[in-house]
Amino acid sequence: MIKAGILGATGAVGQRFVQLLADHPWFEITSLAASERSAGKKYGEVAKWRLDTDLPESVRDIAVVSTRPEEVDADIVFSALPAEEALKIEEDFARAGFVVSSNASSHRMDEDVPLLIPEVNPEHLGLIEIQKKKRKWDGFIVTNPNCSTIMMVMTLKPLMGFGIESVHVATMQAVSGAGYEGVPSMAILDNVIPYIGGEEHKMETEPLKLLGEFDGKAVKNAKFWVSAACHRVPVMDGHTMSIWVRSKERPSAEEVKNAMLKFDPRLGDLPTSPKKALIVRDEPDRPQPRLDRNQGRGMSVSVGRIREGQDGAIQYVCMGHNTIRGAAGASILNAEVLKKKGYL
């Protein structure tokens, strides 16, 4: 078993890491790290457990430590830290020889840090050796993208062969993406909030790196552009997106559907990988968060309403579980790929 630590273990994404790693066949939770006010106390005492499953008994009595490398006993750390804290702390861990699989946004766009979706761009892991050499680190950092970006880019990958020129996306994002105390109930009930700080910029920039080409030295961004509008809606879990894609080849809706159906990243030997990365639905009213977010144990992305729009654009709806596929599960799948390729 590989020893695993969780940074920011008491927060919403940290709890999801705990849930998903508690019975993992490759990783064993050996350290739970959080703020100084939680350090020294048992995890079961300080984690206000918010998930709809019981707190795993295996972690209840683990003593929480601070987010300092010398206090963490692990080979890999999964980071659920806030971005402002992760910026320095993740570097400290990589410098100290840890593998850092991060859900934080702090290092996603660093030129030498892989921004990874295993089904999309595993070749970008070539940046690891460049990162270690450049920064003189014994460890390294690998990041997963923004939650909505992951779902959208999963659907764009099989369309790259059509020559994507532009993407428009309007998101309807669940409240869990903001954390338990992120959106007050009186602000979101009976309401839609048409702004999520920093979200649109992430969705407009991260896909270009993810779908860019690694030339052995750096990633050259993809040559299309993205325009995003992000909204918070009164849904607990599951981000939904309406997407418009214009491509050079002007594919038909049937051609796009077939490309998605044939999409097979061949990651079935990884414990967290779903049997189907993309699930294409024919019903006119799917996907829906309540019905589809747990497909593939929360790791599949569901697509529906694929249709031809104006000026040759293709329109469709996609949806995925934001704290599993879009956060903790994505970081764990990244770590599994690292193990498979010999980095762990």
Side-chain angles (χ1 to χ4, degrees):
M1 297 289 280
I2 297 169
K3 294 189 292 185
I6 301 170
L7 309 180
T10 58
V13 175
Q15 290 184 20
R16 188 67 78 177
F17 272 122
V18 168
Q19 179 198 46
L20 297 177
L21 288 169
D23 296 311
H24 196 282
W26 295 358
F27 301 111
E28 177 187 5
I29 299 174
T30 51
S31 282
L32 297 171
S35 64
E36 293 288 349
R37 65 178 177 273
S38 298
K41 302 174 183 176
K42 292 181 179 180
Y43 184 74
E45 297 174 356
V46 297
K48 296 180 179 179
W49 195 251
R50 307 293 189 186
L51 302 183
D52 57 2
T53 58
D54 290 337
L55 172 67
E57 288 297 327
S58 58
V59 302
R60 185 180 296 275
D61 293 330
I62 292 179
V64 175
V65 297
S66 69
T67 53
R68 291 194 293 267
E70 61 269 23
E71 295 196 24
V72 173
D73 175 27
D75 302 306
I76 182 171
V77 290
F78 295 92
S79 175
L81 294 168
E84 60 276 10
E85 296 178 25
L87 186 62
K88 179 181 183 300
I89 292 173
E90 289 179 359
E91 290 188 1
D92 289 343
F93 273 84
R95 189 178 294 109
F98 290 82
V99 174
V100 180
S101 185
S102 175
N103 180 66
S105 62
S106 311
H107 294 287
R108 287 176 186 162
M109 301 306 289
D110 291 5
E111 290 184 356
D112 59 350
V113 173
L115 179 64
L116 185 66
I117 302 175
E119 296 93 339
V120 172
N121 62 334
E123 68 278 5
H124 288 197
L125 289 175
L127 288 171
I128 289 174
E129 294 306 323
I130 295 170
Q131 178 190 146
K132 293 175 70 174
K133 183 177 180 180
K134 175 184 174 182
R135 305 198 188 204
K136 296 180 173 59
W137 288 348
D138 292 325
F140 58 87
I141 299 170
V142 172
T143 67
N144 58 259
N146 166 266
C147 46
S148 294
T149 299
I150 291 177
M151 275 71 111
M152 181 176 74
V153 170
M154 291 270 286
T155 68
L156 294 179
K157 176 65 174 180
L159 309 187
M160 288 293 286
F162 298 122
I164 295 175
E165 295 178 320
S166 64
V167 178
H168 290 79
V169 56
T171 73
M172 293 152 275
Q173 297 182 218
V175 292
S176 60
Y180 187 79
E181 298 178 352
V183 183
S185 60
M186 291 186 69
I188 193 64
L189 291 175
D190 190 34
N191 203 15
V192 172
I193 301 173
Y195 173 74
I196 304 173
E199 199 81 357
E200 290 163 353
H201 176 71
K202 295 171 188 174
M203 290 202 71
E204 291 173 350
T205 55
E206 292 178 3
L208 306 185
K209 181 177 180 181
L210 285 157
L211 293 167
E213 181 181 350
F214 177 59
D215 64 5
K217 297 180 180 178
V219 173
K220 307 296 183 183
N221 280 358
K223 298 297 184 181
F224 60 87
W225 54 266
V226 181
S227 179
C230 298
H231 314 80
R232 190 74 72 190
V233 297
V235 170
M236 185 63 72
D237 293 306
H239 288 355
T240 305
M241 281 153 269
S242 288
I243 299 174
W244 294 256
V245 181
R246 181 171 280 104
S247 303
K248 292 178 182 178
E249 294 190 10
R250 301 293 193 263
S252 67
E254 192 65 22
E255 288 174 317
V256 167
K257 177 181 176 181
N258 287 336
M260 291 183 177
L261 285 170
K262 292 177 181 177
F263 181 56
D264 182 7
R266 302 185 184 279
L267 296 177
D269 58 335
L270 302 182
T272 301
S273 178
K275 291 182 179 179
K276 286 188 177 181
L278 294 181
I279 296 175
V280 180
R281 307 205 63 102
D282 291 322
E283 302 93 326
D285 60 348
R286 301 282 285 275
Q288 298 178 22
R290 195 167 63 188
L291 300 179
D292 297 304
R293 60 192 168 207
N294 290 315
Q295 292 292 324
R297 305 186 314 279
M299 288 295 289
S300 294
V301 173
S302 296
V303 185
R305 300 205 66 211
I306 302 172
R307 59 206 189 278
E308 295 162 28
Q310 298 296 318
D311 298 326
I314 292 293
Q315 300 173 230
Y316 59 88
V317 174
C318 80
M319 197 285 310
H321 198 301
N322 52 295
T323 65
I324 300 178
R325 175 76 255 193
S331 290
I332 294 170
L333 187 60
N334 284 356
E336 292 170 0
V337 170
L338 290 172
K339 180 184 182 297
K340 180 180 180 180
K341 292 187 175 293
Y343 291 101
L344 272 173

